[in-house]
C-alpha cells in the first residue's frame, strides 16, 4: 500500500463563535469567526463565511483560484458576517456556488442572503457581486457532489433556527465539519454518531465545557468532552476543537486543549493557520 500526496487539506481561517472578539489582544487562538477550507482533489471547498473568510478570500485571489464552492452551516451573524467582504464575489472571473440547507420561512439560498445584505443593515446588496454565482438550496440529509470524486453528505444539527453539518469524502479520506450543535447531556445521539463514523477528522462545536453546559442550555452549542465521547463512539481519531467562546481567554482555551488531549491525544484546538493534510489512501493490490 502506498500513500500519495494530500487527498484533502483542512485549513482553519477563523475559529471563534458569536462575535469576532477575544479577551486577549492578540489571541493565539484568534478572534476571527467561523471559516474553514477543505481542498479536496484540487477542488476548493469553503465552509462558512465568518470574518475568517476575508483572509481566505484574499489568499484565493492572490493564488488565482477562481472556481470553488461555499457551504453555509447556517446564517447566524458569526457565520456570514465576512460574506460581504469576501473578495472573490466581486471578481467577474470567479465562478462560485453558494450552498445553504437551513432554510427558514420558505426562503431559498439567494433570498436568505439578499435578506442579510440589504439596507439599513448593509449599504449594498447582492447586485454588487460580479462573480458568476449559483445559489444552491438543499435539505439536510441530501447528498451533494461538488466535483467528480468528491462525495458530500449533510446532516441536521441541533441549533436555534437550524444548522447543517457536512461530511466530505474524497481519495479514501473523510473530514466532518459539524459546528453549532447542542448535545443533550447524558444522552447519545445515534444519528450524529453514524454521520461522523470513521471520519479521519472531526471539526466539532466545543464552545463550552461540560461544567458550563447547564448555564447555557438552549444556546445551541456543545462541549469538548462531548466531542471526545462522540469521537470514541464513532471511531474518529482526530478532533478539532472549534467555535471557541468569545469569553474564553487564551489561558482557558490552552487549559481546555490540554485537558482534552490528556484523555484524547488526537485532539487539537482550532486557530487561524492550523492545517491538516490527509494523504490519499491507495487500494491494496
Amino acid at each position: 500500500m502506498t500513500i500519495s500526496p494530500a487527498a484533502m487539506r483542512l485549513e482553519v481561517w477563523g475559529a471563534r463563535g458569536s462575535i469576532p472578539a477575544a479577551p486577549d489582544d492578540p489571541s493565539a487562538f484568534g478572534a476571527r469567526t467561523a471559516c474553514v477550507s477543505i481542498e479536496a482533489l484540487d477542488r476548493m471547498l469553503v465552509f462558512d463565511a465568518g470574518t475568517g473568510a476575508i483572509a481566505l478570500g484574499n489568499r484565493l485571489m492572490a493564488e488565482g483560484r477562481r472556481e470553488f464552492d461555499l457551504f453555509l452551516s447556517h446564517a447566524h451573524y458569526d457565520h456570514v458576517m465576512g460574506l460581504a467582504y469576501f473578495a472573490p464575489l466581486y471578481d467577474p472571473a470567479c465562478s462560485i456556488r453558494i450552498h445553504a440547507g437551513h432554510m427558514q420561512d420558505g426562503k431559498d439560498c439567494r433570498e436568505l442572503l439578499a435578506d442579510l445584505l440589504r439596507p439599513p443593515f448593509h449599504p449594498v446588496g447582492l447586485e454588487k457581486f460580479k462573480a458568476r454565482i449559483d445559489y444552491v438550496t438543499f435539505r439536510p440529509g441530501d447528498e451533494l457532489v461538488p466535483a467528480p470524486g468528491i462525495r458530500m453528505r449533510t446532516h441536521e444539527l441541533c441549533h436555534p433556527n437550524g444548522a447543517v453539518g457536512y461530511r466530505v469524502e474524497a481519495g479514501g479520506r473523510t473530514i466532518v465539519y459539524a459546528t453549532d450543535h447542542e448535545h443533550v447531556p447524558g444522552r447519545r445521539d445515534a444519528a450524529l454518531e453514524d454521520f461522523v463514523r470513521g471520519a479521519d477528522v472531526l471539526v466539532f462545536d466545543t464552545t463550552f465545557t461540560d461544567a458550563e453546559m447547564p448555564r447555557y442550555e438552549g444556546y445551541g452549542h456543545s462541549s469538548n468532552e462531548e466531542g471526545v465521547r462522540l469521537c470514541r463512539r464513532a471511531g474518529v481519531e482526530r478532533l478539532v476543537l472549534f467555535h471557541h467562546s468569545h469569553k474564553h481567554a487564551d489561558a482557558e482555551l490552552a487549559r481546555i486543549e490540554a485537558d482534552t488531549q490528556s484523555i484524547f491525544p488526537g485532539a487539537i484546538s482550532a486557530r487561524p493557520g492550523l492545517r491538516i493534510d490527509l494523504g490519499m489512501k491507495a487500494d491494496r493490490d
Side-chain angles (χ1 to χ4, degrees):
M1 178 177 178
T2 59
I3 300 295
S4 59
M8 284 202 281
R9 169 174 291 167
L10 167 75
E11 189 160 357
V12 175
W13 299 88
R16 288 279 175 179
S18 302
I19 57 174
D24 301 279
D25 185 13
S27 166
F29 298 89
R32 301 174 187 167
T33 62
C35 181
V36 166
S37 65
I38 296 176
E39 189 171 357
L41 304 180
D42 295 324
R43 179 74 180 187
M44 180 61 69
L45 312 174
V46 180
F47 295 85
D48 280 329
T51 58
I54 301 170
L56 171 57
N58 294 339
R59 171 77 65 83
L60 292 172
M61 296 299 292
E63 293 178 350
R65 302 292 294 260
R66 297 295 184 264
E67 186 173 349
F68 49 88
D69 293 81
L70 169 60
F71 302 89
L72 300 177
S73 64
H74 61 306
H76 286 167
Y77 288 141
D78 49 337
H79 294 256
V80 296
M81 63 174 65
L83 187 69
Y85 308 95
F86 188 58
L89 292 171
Y90 301 91
D91 186 341
C94 288
S95 180
I96 305 168
R97 289 192 299 246
I98 303 178
H99 307 252
H102 55 283
M103 298 302 95
Q104 296 289 317
D105 302 323
K107 292 185 175 69
D108 63 21
C109 179
R110 191 184 192 287
E111 290 169 333
L112 184 79
L113 297 181
D115 200 33
L116 170 73
L117 300 178
R118 62 176 176 86
F121 309 110
H122 195 266
V124 299
L126 303 186
E127 73 280 354
K128 293 297 184 180
F129 293 166
K130 302 304 180 184
R132 298 183 300 277
I133 302 174
D134 184 11
Y135 297 92
V136 180
T137 304
F138 67 90
R139 292 182 179 276
D142 288 350
E143 290 196 12
L144 309 173
V145 183
I150 303 174
R151 180 192 182 200
M152 184 178 295
R153 294 166 52 197
T154 63
H155 183 77
E156 185 173 10
L157 302 175
C158 180
H159 192 68
N161 308 126
V164 180
Y166 296 91
R167 178 185 176 103
V168 185
E169 301 173 1
R173 298 295 191 179
T174 300
I175 297 174
V176 176
Y177 178 79
T179 189
D180 290 62
H181 171 75
E182 182 169 357
H183 75 281
V184 178
R187 183 184 302 174
R188 292 180 64 166
D189 187 336
L192 184 58
E193 288 177 21
D194 287 343
F195 181 68
V196 307
R197 192 171 307 284
D200 294 284
V201 180
L202 170 62
V203 180
F204 188 67
D205 181 340
T206 58
T207 303
F208 305 122
T209 63
D210 274 357
E212 292 174 312
M213 286 294 296
R215 289 182 307 197
Y216 298 104
E217 182 178 356
Y219 278 52
H221 298 290
S222 198
S223 69
N224 57 305
E225 294 97 335
E226 178 64 13
V228 171
R229 290 188 288 266
L230 183 57
C231 285
R232 285 175 171 167
R233 291 166 179 167
V236 178
E237 295 183 357
R238 304 180 81 174
L239 170 65
V240 178
L241 311 180
F242 192 72
H243 205 276
H244 308 313
S245 170
H246 64 281
K247 297 179 181 180
H248 284 168
D250 281 10
E252 178 68 3
L253 289 175
R255 183 191 65 78
I256 291 171
E257 181 180 45
D259 288 350
T260 309
Q261 290 173 338
S262 71
I263 59 174
F264 192 77
I268 188 169
S269 191
R271 62 204 83 192
L274 175 67
R275 193 174 80 181
I276 299 175
D277 286 344
L278 299 175
M280 185 178 296
K281 281 186 177 178
D283 294 332
R284 293 182 184 274
D285 296 328

